[in-house]
Amino acid sequence: MKPAAFAYYAPRSAEEALHLLETHGDDEARILAGGQSLVPMMAYRLARPAHLIDINGISEFGTMTTEADVLRIGAGVRHTAFYDEVAPGPTGALLQNVVHHVADHPIRVRGTFCGSIAHADPASEWCCIAVMLDASIVVRSARSERSIAAGSFFHGPMTTDVRTDELITEVRIPILPGDARCGFAEFSRRPGDFGIAMVAASYRILGGRIAEPRLAVGGVEHRPRRISEAERALAGATPTRDAFREAASVVAAALDPLEDGIDEAVFRRSLLLALVPQALERAA
Amino acid sequence: MTTTLRRTTWVGASVERLEDRPLVTGKGLFAADINFARQLHMRIVRSEHAHAVLKNVDTTAAAAVAGVVAVWTAKDIADLPPIEFREGPQPKLAPFRQHVLARERVRYVGEPIAAVFAEDPYVAEDAAELVTVEVEHLPVLLDAASSPAEFAPGLSTEAAVCKQEYGDIPWAFETSIHTVALDLAIGRHSGVPLETRGALARYDAARDVLELHGAAKVPHKNRESLAKMLGRSLASVQVYESHVGGGFGIRGELYPEDILVLVAAMRLGRPVKWIEDRREHMVAANQSRQQRHDIRAAFDAGGRLLGLSDTFYHNQGAYLRTHATRVADLTCAILPGPYVVPAYRVHGHCRLTNTTPTATYRAPGRYEANFARERMMDAAAAKLGLSRVEIRRRNLIAAHEMPYHRPVTTLGDEVVYDSGDYELLLNKALAQAGWDDLERETAARRSRGDLAGLGLAVFVEKSGLGPTDGVRISVDTSGFVEVITGGASVGQGFETVIAQVCADVLGVDYRRVRVVHGRTDRIDTGVGAHASRATVLTANAAAIAAEKVRAKALRLAAQLLETDVARLTIVDGTVVPKDGAPQQGIGLGEIAHRLRPSAGTWGGEDPTLAAEGWFTTPHMTYPYGVQIAVVQVDAQTGAVRVEKALIAYDIGRAINPMLVRGQLVGGFVQGLGGALLEEFRYDASGQPLSVTFADYLMPSLSDVPEVEVLLTEDAPSTLNPLGIKGAGEGGIAAVGALIASAIDDALESPGLITELPVTPQKLKALIDARLRKRVA
Amino acid sequence: MNAFAHLQLNVNGQVHHVEVEPRKTLADTIRENCGLTGTHLGCEHGVCGACTILLDGEPIRSCLMFAVQAEGRNVRTVEGLQDGDRLHVLQQAFIAEHALQCGFCTPGFLMLIVGILEKYPDIAESQLLEFLSSNLCRCTGYENIVKAALNAAAVMRTAR
């Protein structure tokens, strides 16, 4: 399982990396960040980049900052950065909770948050979180920069809005209000395995009722998404077990599950009937 | 013959292993760690089709790659015969053997079609990709339970039917008060050791000796087969085992790649190294376990078995490899297990399919048979209104019936259970587990909606397959001991166990004993390491040889010390008077020095302080066990969590309890994999779906429950002086049955589980179906 | 493509001069070019952990990194654990607790555990167990690996 040959570049600046992408983007160029998703694919020769652009040496990508209620996660930030609370309040706590579902520790040491976003595996926890929190993905080419809302960013399995001459330079996550409550629930065969189904939820309680509900489902469809039908059902409801179960039924009905020959639609729907209330209850 | 171990300093003690230091310091020598100057790297081109006629294999592009020295297909090795069965030719089964490289047809995805030899493994893989294969598709057969098809003109894919029969089955069913009938399936899975396969061959042209490095399991048997296959004398083929990263029954059989490296080393004039990668392993190494059972049992009013009838379909994969039909054969023999079965009939249909060939995996035929039989006992309990414990009690073979002769044969041996008190072990296990309390607790939890359940399985294992093993022991002039065995190590602690036995007999520290294994150039015969036989046979042979060395040392010491042998003993390597001071003694090294060949006279003895010992056993020995587990089921997701387990096992005699426990616990966890996680799956066209460790899931630390081990020595083997029975397969053998039993209990649905592995998806579907039935 | 890179790799405190293609993994380079075969390949796709080494003190999968990426970094492998003839506390614990059978997964576990205990000496047991679930063992059933890790952790804490 040795990778096919490639030309290797280790740019020291974003400009250099983007110039390389401009030159080689149309000729099978891939970005190497953590490599924890890409290199296994190269080992199986399912990915055979002719050009591998290693961005690990670009120090400006390694920063993560909070400014004006936005958490900015640079392209080089590793999963292990989230072992600590990186943002105040529920947002940081949520990320700190979810990171323990992402693969396992040695993978987290090298793998990057933005790499997960770029890789767009439907079973990726960070992709689900990004969608739930309405993150923006900042994408640059040599000529331009644009910002894409997470809700429009993921097109399908391993497919995103990023063009061949672009790379993700950062992901911006709006920080939730201090009184927001977050919950996350995932079902996988063993801890750290690909999530067969996952739910990320948050809401506030105003006047004893649910306000600003967010509910995103991952692992089940070909991309993660917020289930607006469920959010509408939750808005204004009292946060009871029944309301959560009702929301779960709405989610199950709204889904168009992936059929991958292994986990069937019926099973994924039934998982959500368990996971949606779990996530909502953990938030409470 | 009697061998009494005079000072049990070492035997019975959980001493640290001799094997460990190189392994913890990274100085082990696994196949991939071995390198020879100028070696070539072999890469196999494998079939991407499950069943097809090979029209053309084009190797031109591959051969043109810089660094590639040769590319072979079947025509380049046309003179090689197919790979023979390990136990010798069987004419009726001969047409089902595998050729080293596919000839006119390919029969499974992964079948070797061509071999690339290159300077570097990366280059070899690049070149292998350039080999193009033209095929004509043939229909694909995947299910052994569906009708057989044509293997080749005039030959059915049903290669054989293994049969055993005794007593009057029709009468048993006619006169029965209750009958139970089940349709059961065990999913395909296998050992999947962490080290993939590997082989290196070197041809020593100066001495005309062909060497195979990276051997395992049965070096001597393999060497014999290889010599025959290649038309060479036994002495001109040598096999070397270094470190082995787990065997579990699937490593060490002769595979096409082993033959290829040897032939290539000779013909290309350079050493040839082949290291399998993981993706290859998942489609090319032996798989196992896949059986479908149609089992029926007849009981009298008191819940006693009158007859057991089983028809099973054994998925043999694409070819009969070195084991021929052994696994089906073992299934037939061990299915009755620990119970009295007055009438028995079993037909095991060995059927070939277009999937990876299957063979032995730890407790082969038994994991499957135990699942079928124990499921059947649980079903009978439910039908008859007896507890699962009680129905077993009423059918267990009693201690006073030992040795118990069951009129079936396997591996050329009659099944004679040498010793065993099954009910005693059952009682001890139930007491240790606190069965009654667990029943109450799990019932109480269920009433609160916490679906906990209790499982039980009782089984007999087999070990110590003979007939014979021999060792040579010698003491050097420094008093160090060397034991040369024909055994093999797959990581189980073989060296330590043999050293402990020798050390006790010889009166030395076990750390001064070096045990040699896996070397055909040091000893001509050996049983290797499989079927849990290494300890039973080799340890007994070592004890016999050590006894002879001890006796010789004492005789010579008696002369030198001018006293009687009866007055002497050996303490820490020195022969001393039993009642005297150590300084009056003489060290074994000194005695060896006196016996050196150049001494000229040796006090009436032969030169050297050395001896051979041979141990022969007429039959296999039968350890036995009881397993109990508590599981919890999440009815919403179908997830099963194993909370705790008890493995009770009678091993006759434990030479190193810590190592025995390691074998049992390790096997148990593998068994959990087969029950809940592991499965080799195929799509409708025969494409393997489980080719990465993300699809084929094996237990990680988070899957492992609290495991308690109750090791007993109530029934030492009567077949060997040390009384030992093997431990290697006792942990895994009944886990499938056990977990199924526990899940049924958790869901209060006897008979719910009829298939392994129990994945969350499958279990959830069963739970939902049952709910719908209840509502309806 | 296939242009060879000349690298200086710092492994266990020693500098190795190697010449490798960019696609040659760090694992293969350590094993073949540096001659340190204690690091093993079990799957080559980052799941089993047999190839685990320490990169700047953190456990990583060396099969998922290319050697060219490791220049200027500090690499530690199992061969660097002992101090002369004196085994590391964790190595001793593995022997004492029978935490290995075939030994193939052992170097990966040793480096994983050493990396974790050196970085998080006061790690809670539940967290340690979560981290230990990263690597696969097919022989032991894990219980003794856990015992060895916990014993070594206790010794390492008191030694500080």
Side-chain angles (χ1 to χ4, degrees):
Chain A
M1 287 163 63
K2 314 300 182 192
F6 51 83
Y8 172 80
Y9 314 87
R12 311 305 290 182
S13 71
E15 283 64 42
E16 212 187 314
L18 292 169
H19 178 70
L20 284 164
L21 266 181
E22 189 177 43
T23 314
H24 300 294
D26 285 332
D27 180 28
E28 305 280 350
R30 297 291 294 258
I31 298 294
L32 177 66
Q36 305 300 280
S37 303
L38 178 61
V39 180
M41 287 176 59
M42 291 173 69
Y44 274 86
R45 299 202 174 195
L46 294 171
R48 310 171 66 110
H51 305 275
L52 201 59
I53 302 165
D54 181 352
I55 61 169
N56 287 286
I58 301 174
S59 47
E60 70 188 87
F61 284 163
T63 51
M64 176 157 56
T65 57
T66 313
E67 44 188 81
D69 292 337
V70 173
L71 175 66
R72 301 178 59 175
I73 305 169
V77 172
R78 316 270 176 200
H79 301 305
T80 45
F82 301 93
Y83 282 165
D84 299 319
E85 279 204 7
V86 299
T91 310
L94 175 67
L95 296 168
Q96 197 180 31
N97 170 17
V98 171
V99 72
H100 289 278
H101 294 267
V102 176
D104 55 46
H105 181 65
I107 303 283
R108 297 176 204 148
V109 168
R110 288 292 296 166
T112 62
F113 183 100
C114 293
S116 291
I117 302 296
H119 186 66
D121 189 318
S124 154
E125 291 83 5
W126 290 145
C127 294
C128 183
I129 295 297
V131 159
M132 197 270 276
L133 294 173
D134 265 335
S136 320
I137 293 102
V138 177
V139 164
R140 280 180 65 185
S141 71
R143 291 162 215 286
S144 61
E145 176 176 300
R146 59 200 184 100
S147 175
I148 308 153
S152 335
F153 179 80
F154 300 103
H155 297 172
M158 282 52 169
T159 319
T160 68
D161 216 58
V162 178
R163 300 178 196 129
T164 55
D165 63 344
E166 293 176 322
L167 66 85
I168 297 176
T169 54
E170 71 177 12
V171 172
R172 294 179 182 157
I173 297 185
I175 292 176
L176 291 167
D179 66 343
R181 301 131 188 275
C182 301
F184 180 79
E186 177 176 317
F187 182 82
S188 58
R189 296 297 301 277
R190 302 166 307 176
D193 280 350
F194 290 117
I196 299 172
M198 68 191 78
V199 175
S202 83
Y203 52 88
R204 300 171 69 197
I205 303 284
L206 296 178
R209 290 175 180 270
I210 294 173
E212 298 168 35
R214 294 165 178 267
L215 194 148
V217 170
V220 177
E221 297 180 315
H222 64 276
R223 60 194 181 106
R225 71 181 169 102
R226 285 174 67 174
I227 312 294
S228 48
E229 298 94 318
E231 291 173 352
R232 279 196 296 274
L234 284 166
T238 42
T240 61
R241 189 158 283 183
D242 282 336
F244 295 161
R245 288 205 189 121
E246 175 57 31
S249 309
V250 172
V251 169
L255 287 174
D256 185 16
L258 274 173
E259 290 262 18
D260 56 10
I262 300 166
D263 294 293
E264 296 159 359
V266 145
F267 180 57
R268 289 179 199 262
R269 271 188 236 269
S270 61
L271 287 178
L272 284 162
L273 291 176
L275 292 172
V276 169
Q278 247 178 62
L280 290 169
E281 266 162 44
R282 284 175 187 170
Chain B
M1 73 210 120
T2 52
T3 302
T4 45
L5 293 165
R6 287 165 186 76
R7 293 196 62 204
T8 53
T9 312
W10 307 117
V11 170
S14 293
V15 298
E16 290 179 359
R17 295 196 330 168
L18 298 171
E19 291 89 336
D20 287 355
R21 201 179 165 105
L23 294 171
V24 298
T25 53
K27 301 288 193 289
L29 195 68
F30 296 88
D33 305 333
I34 304 172
N35 292 297
F36 295 127
R38 298 190 66 238
Q39 67 193 0
L40 292 171
H41 295 265
M42 180 172 84
R43 176 78 182 174
I44 300 291
V45 178
R46 299 182 183 278
S47 173
E48 291 176 1
H49 307 278
H51 196 200
V53 174
L54 276 181
K55 310 281 324 185
N56 188 43
V57 181
D58 189 346
T59 62
T60 8
V65 171
V68 170
V69 162
V71 184
W72 288 357
T73 60
K75 60 174 168 26
D76 296 292
I77 50 166
D79 50 323
L80 281 182
I83 301 174
E84 190 54 273
F85 305 125
R86 200 199 316 140
E87 296 306 318
Q90 291 186 58
K92 281 220 188 91
L93 302 178
F96 302 105
R97 293 170 305 169
Q98 184 172 2
H99 279 282
V100 172
L101 288 175
R103 298 194 170 185
E104 298 91 31
R105 266 205 223 192
V106 286
R107 291 197 165 84
Y108 66 101
V109 173
E111 181 166 359
I113 294 177
V116 174
F117 301 96
E119 305 278 355
D120 169 275
Y122 284 66
V123 168
E125 193 168 337
D126 291 342
E129 277 192 319
L130 299 176
V131 173
T132 54
V133 179
E134 239 180 270
V135 300
E136 196 181 278
H137 292 274
L138 291 171
V140 164
L141 177 64
L142 300 174
D143 185 4
S146 51
S147 305
E150 195 188 65
F151 178 83
L155 214 51
S156 161
T157 55
E158 178 160 286
V161 184
C162 298
K163 298 182 187 180
Q164 299 280 350
E165 190 155 354
Y166 66 80
D168 191 339
I169 279 287
W171 184 87
F173 279 86
E174 268 168 53
T175 56
S176 65
I177 304 299
H178 303 281
T179 59
V180 173
L182 297 177
D183 180 3
L184 303 168
I186 300 101
R188 175 184 280 245
H189 59 285
S190 195
V192 192
L194 216 53
E195 181 199 15
T196 55
R197 296 177 297 149
L200 287 98
R202 177 163 70 169
Y203 178 58
D204 179 348
R207 295 180 306 134
D208 186 31
V209 174
L210 190 54
E211 299 175 358
L212 180 66
H213 295 256
K217 197 190 347 174
V218 282
H220 288 83
K221 249 321 182 359
N222 284 347
R223 177 233 213 164
E224 233 180 271
S225 303
L226 289 168
K228 200 173 245 170
M229 197 173 179
L230 301 172
R232 298 179 63 84
S233 71
L234 209 56
S236 72
V237 178
Q238 298 294 354
V239 161
Y240 299 83
E241 175 188 86
S242 42
H243 282 114
V244 174
F248 314 124
I250 61 125
R251 189 197 307 276
E253 293 306 314
L254 275 182
Y255 286 97
E257 299 88 350
D258 302 313
I259 318 296
L260 278 167
V261 293
L262 286 165
V263 175
M266 277 194 295
R267 295 191 192 170
L268 301 177
R270 290 169 67 170
V272 177
K273 178 171 179 172
W274 172 71
I275 302 299
E276 180 182 53
D277 68 33
R278 183 55 65 184
R279 173 204 227 156
E280 288 182 278
H281 183 88
M282 303 307 268
V283 299
N286 284 342
Q287 299 182 351
S288 198
R289 299 286 196 245
Q290 193 173 23
Q291 287 182 354
R292 177 94 178 263
H293 284 256
D294 178 359
I295 184 170
R296 296 187 310 129
F299 291 85
D300 67 13
R304 267 165 291 271
L305 270 164
L306 294 173
L308 182 61
S309 171
D310 183 43
T311 301
F312 69 93
Y313 303 96
H314 181 87
N315 195 323
Q316 195 60 63
Y319 294 102
L320 290 182
R321 281 187 167 157
T322 54
H323 280 299
T325 56
R326 186 191 199 101
V327 180
D329 181 60
L330 284 166
T331 307
C332 292
I334 209 81
L335 183 66
Y339 306 116
V340 176
V341 179
Y344 179 50
R345 176 198 159 279
V346 63
H347 284 195
H349 296 260
C350 281
R351 292 190 178 161
L352 295 159
T353 60
N354 299 112
T355 58
T356 303
T358 66
T360 55
Y361 165 32
R362 205 170 191 178
R366 284 105 67 189
Y367 188 91
E368 303 89 311
N370 290 332
F371 179 74
R373 183 198 61 253
E374 294 297 292
R375 290 278 69 208
M376 190 275 299
M377 292 304 273
D378 275 5
K383 192 160 192 181
L384 274 65
L386 292 170
S387 75
R388 292 173 292 168
V389 173
E390 187 56 33
I391 194 154
R392 287 170 167 85
R393 261 195 222 293
R394 293 188 186 183
N395 286 285
L396 287 175
I397 296 166
H400 67 77
E401 295 180 82
M402 294 296 171
Y404 186 82
H405 183 242
R406 175 119 42 213
V408 297
T409 59
T410 186
L411 305 178
D413 194 11
E414 292 176 315
V415 172
V416 181
Y417 294 163
D418 49 335
S419 60
D421 191 340
Y422 304 148
E423 186 160 20
L424 178 61
L425 188 65
L426 176 62
N427 290 336
K428 284 188 176 180
L430 294 172
Q432 182 78 19
W435 177 268
D436 294 335
D437 287 337
L438 284 176
E439 272 196 316
R440 273 191 292 275
E441 274 163 36
T442 50
R445 286 172 65 183
R446 287 195 297 273
S447 67
R448 294 194 297 268
D450 172 18
L451 304 180
L454 198 51
L456 172 70
V458 183
F459 64 102
V460 179
E461 253 303 290
K462 54 158 271 301
S463 69
L465 178 64
T468 293
D469 199 17
V471 312
R472 194 155 60 241
I473 298 185
S474 57
V475 182
D476 72 15
T477 55
S478 306
F480 285 97
V481 181
E482 186 181 58
V483 184
I484 307 174
T485 76
S489 174
V490 288
Q492 75 278 41
F494 174 78
E495 289 169 32
T496 303
V497 162
I498 302 303
Q500 284 176 264
V501 169
C502 279
D504 257 8
V505 175
L506 278 177
V508 301
D509 187 313
Y510 84 105
R511 285 163 292 214
R512 289 175 74 91
V513 180
R514 171 192 291 267
V515 178
V516 173
H517 55 85
R519 294 284 299 254
T520 56
D521 62 337
R522 297 294 312 271
I523 190 168
D524 269 341
T525 63
V527 296
H530 67 112
S532 302
R533 72 207 303 199
T535 305
V536 179
L537 285 155
T538 315
N540 276 284
I544 291 166
E547 193 60 60
K548 291 186 190 173
V549 171
R550 178 191 179 90
K552 187 169 185 177
L554 289 179
R555 286 195 301 271
L556 197 64
Q559 288 182 48
L560 296 168
L561 296 172
E562 294 173 339
T563 181
D564 302 319
V565 167
R567 287 209 151 87
L568 296 171
T569 185
I570 311 181
V571 177
D572 205 19
T574 307
V575 182
V576 291
K578 283 179 186 164
D579 52 3
Q583 53 264 37
Q584 299 172 311
I586 173 165
L588 287 176
E590 174 64 29
I591 295 175
H593 181 72
R594 298 293 183 126
L595 286 170
R596 72 194 185 285
S598 58
T601 66
W602 311 279
E605 302 286 340
D606 284 338
T608 75
L609 183 54
E612 267 182 21
W614 293 88
F615 174 68
T616 298
T617 184
H619 292 297
M620 290 190 277
T621 120
Y622 293 85
Y624 53 98
V626 175
Q627 295 186 353
I628 293 171
V630 176
V631 308
Q632 188 214 35
V633 174
D634 181 335
Q636 288 197 297
T637 62
V640 175
R641 200 165 63 89
V642 184
E643 295 181 347
K644 54 183 175 178
L646 171 70
I647 305 172
Y649 203 62
D650 193 289
I651 196 183
R653 183 152 190 200
I655 297 180
N656 187 322
M658 182 175 70
L659 299 194
V660 172
R661 189 194 159 95
Q663 289 297 302
L664 293 174
V665 173
F668 184 82
V669 174
Q670 271 190 317
L672 287 182
L676 296 170
L677 288 166
E678 298 175 42
E679 194 175 11
F680 283 110
R681 299 168 67 252
Y682 290 81
D683 74 11
S685 69
Q687 288 296 319
L689 296 173
S690 317
V691 293
T692 74
F693 279 171
D695 328 293
Y696 188 90
L697 302 176
M698 299 190 293
S700 71
L701 171 55
S702 56
D703 295 295
V704 176
E706 233 178 271
V707 181
E708 204 182 331
V709 174
L710 174 64
L711 208 53
T712 63
E713 296 180 336
D714 293 321
S717 176
T718 53
L719 298 176
N720 65 80
L722 296 175
I724 47 186
K725 301 181 178 180
E729 294 161 287
I732 196 175
V735 182
L738 175 71
I739 300 302
S741 179
I743 295 173
D744 276 7
D745 191 53
L747 294 167
E748 292 177 1
S749 299
L752 186 69
I753 302 303
T754 57
E755 202 179 301
L756 297 178
V758 184
T759 62
Q761 177 166 233
K762 277 195 221 158
L763 185 56
K764 179 70 177 139
L766 288 171
I767 292 170
D768 288 347
R770 192 192 48 145
L771 249 162
R772 283 194 296 271
K773 254 197 248 169
R774 288 206 178 144
V775 167
Chain C
M1 295 229 228
N2 296 340
F4 279 69
H6 301 261
L7 304 172
Q8 276 189 40
L9 291 182
N10 182 333
V11 185
N12 301 326
Q14 281 206 312
V15 173
H16 293 258
H17 296 270
V18 304
E19 204 178 290
V20 293
E21 286 182 82
R23 65 168 167 165
K24 191 159 189 177
T25 62
L26 181 57
D28 279 344
T29 305
I30 288 170
R31 288 177 51 76
E32 290 162 30
N33 301 73
C34 306
L36 299 167
T37 57
T39 302
H40 299 146
L41 292 176
C43 75
E44 292 185 288
H45 56 283
V47 179
C48 75
C51 70
T52 307
I53 57 152
L54 295 181
L55 184 78
D56 292 336
E58 304 253 37
I60 63 144
R61 306 275 194 247
S62 61
C63 72
L64 295 187
M65 201 166 158
F66 301 108
V68 289
Q69 296 182 278
E71 203 167 30
R73 313 294 293 271
N74 193 309
V75 174
R76 272 168 78 199
T77 69
V78 63
E79 290 91 342
L81 276 188
Q82 64 198 106
D83 178 12
D85 263 346
R86 221 159 43 113
L87 296 182
H88 189 283
V89 161
L90 185 65
Q91 288 169 315
Q92 292 174 43
F94 262 58
I95 296 174
E97 297 299 332
H98 185 40
L100 63 148
Q101 289 181 26
C102 82
F104 195 77
C105 75
T106 304
F109 265 106
L110 289 172
M111 300 320 289
L112 174 70
I113 297 167
V114 167
I116 290 167
L117 293 181
E118 285 181 357
K119 178 145 190 188
Y120 310 106
D122 297 309
I123 190 170
E125 184 172 323
S126 59
Q127 187 60 77
L128 177 61
L129 294 181
E130 182 205 313
F131 285 172
L132 284 181
S133 306
S134 306
N135 283 18
L136 291 177
C137 171
R138 201 57 173 150
C139 293
T140 67
Y142 304 101
E143 59 168 18
N144 292 346
I145 295 175
V146 171
K147 274 195 207 142
L150 291 174
N151 288 356
V155 172
M156 284 165 75
R157 264 195 304 270
T158 55
R160 273 192 303 138

